[in-house]
Amino acid sequence: MTVTEIPWTLDGRGLQLVQVPSLALHALGEDNATLAMELAPDLLTPYLLGEECQGLWRYRSKQISENPHDSAWITRIAVDARTSTPVGLAGFHGRPDARGMVEIGYRIDPAFRRQGYARTALEILLDVASGESEVHIVRATISPGNTASRKLISQYGFHEVGEQWDEEDGLETIFEVSASPEP
């Protein structure tokens, strides 16, 4: 799979990562939930419109205004393809950097956690990254207290490479894995 504007999915997994229409993303970034719902009524839920996601939407709206080529890479809505239900979000933080690194991120609505959605979203993102020749490293940054995410990525070969301070999320541990499957 490659980075395109069409939904990202893996055969038989029942989850797709759907790009947020840019006008809806900008409405979300401006805290205009009413307009965002008019522009993307099937993609947005109270969780995705809520406080936990608001800072992310503001950041991504500004990002694609400044770097329109990032739009196909960034945060998408995770939709259960069997029920057409939005269950969270997942995507990259942007295009690969100079060393070929992309950072992933995912959040699942608390009402849908512990059902395999985060795992499937991670697998889709790793599949997309491995299909892009300019991507060499996949990074995840996780709060030290987020044991569920730490346990999940450890099953996919991520290893700890350091720590960083994030203005919004606080202390994060940095994990990386090669984008190419080991021979």
Side-chain angles (χ1 to χ4, degrees), residues 63-113:
Q63 177 182 1
I64 67 167
S65 291
E66 295 171 357
N67 301 299
H69 293 354
D70 279 358
S71 66
W73 286 87
I74 63 166
T75 308
R76 292 170 175 238
I77 306 296
V79 177
D80 184 319
R82 298 169 293 236
T83 63
S84 299
T85 304
V87 297
L89 48 86
F92 299 101
H93 289 211
R95 291 174 290 162
D97 68 9
R99 71 179 187 126
M101 187 273 297
V102 290
E103 185 171 341
I104 61 168
Y106 50 87
R107 293 182 191 173
I108 303 301
D109 183 325
F112 296 102
R113 290 182 184 156

Side-chain angles (χ1 to χ4, degrees), residues 19-142:
Q19 187 174 13
V20 180
S22 61
L23 291 176
L25 179 62
H26 291 308
L28 288 165
E30 295 167 359
D31 297 330
N32 189 338
T34 302
L35 179 58
M37 283 298 293
E38 288 174 15
L39 295 167
D42 297 334
L43 290 179
L44 299 172
T45 64
Y47 171 76
L48 296 170
L49 293 168
E51 188 176 318
E52 185 175 335
C53 298
Q54 196 50 248
L56 174 72
W57 298 131
R58 279 191 293 273
Y59 185 86
R60 296 294 177 231
S61 173
K62 181 178 183 224
Q63 177 182 1
I64 67 167
S65 291
E66 295 171 357
N67 301 299
H69 293 354
D70 279 358
S71 66
W73 286 87
I74 63 166
T75 308
R76 292 170 175 238
I77 306 296
V79 177
D80 184 319
R82 298 169 293 236
T83 63
S84 299
T85 304
V87 297
L89 48 86
F92 299 101
H93 289 211
R95 291 174 290 162
D97 68 9
R99 71 179 187 126
M101 187 273 297
V102 290
E103 185 171 341
I104 61 168
Y106 50 87
R107 293 182 191 173
I108 303 301
D109 183 325
F112 296 102
R113 290 182 184 156
R114 314 245 359 115
Q115 297 179 42
Y117 292 118
R119 175 179 304 280
T120 303
L122 174 60
E123 290 173 355
I124 291 169
L125 294 172
L126 291 172
D127 184 61
V128 170
S130 72
E132 293 294 322
S133 61
E134 70 269 26
V135 177
H136 306 295
I137 299 163
V138 178
R139 172 179 284 184
T141 57
I142 301 173

Side-chain angles (χ1 to χ4, degrees), residues 135-171:
V135 177
H136 306 295
I137 299 163
V138 178
R139 172 179 284 184
T141 57
I142 301 173
S143 164
N146 189 341
T147 54
S149 278
R150 293 168 74 93
K151 183 178 177 183
L152 175 62
I153 66 161
S154 73
Q155 297 170 28
Y156 291 86
F158 283 83
H159 59 279
E160 186 174 334
V161 297
E163 292 181 337
Q164 69 182 19
W165 183 262
D166 182 90
E167 290 299 320
E168 198 164 306
D169 299 326
L171 181 64

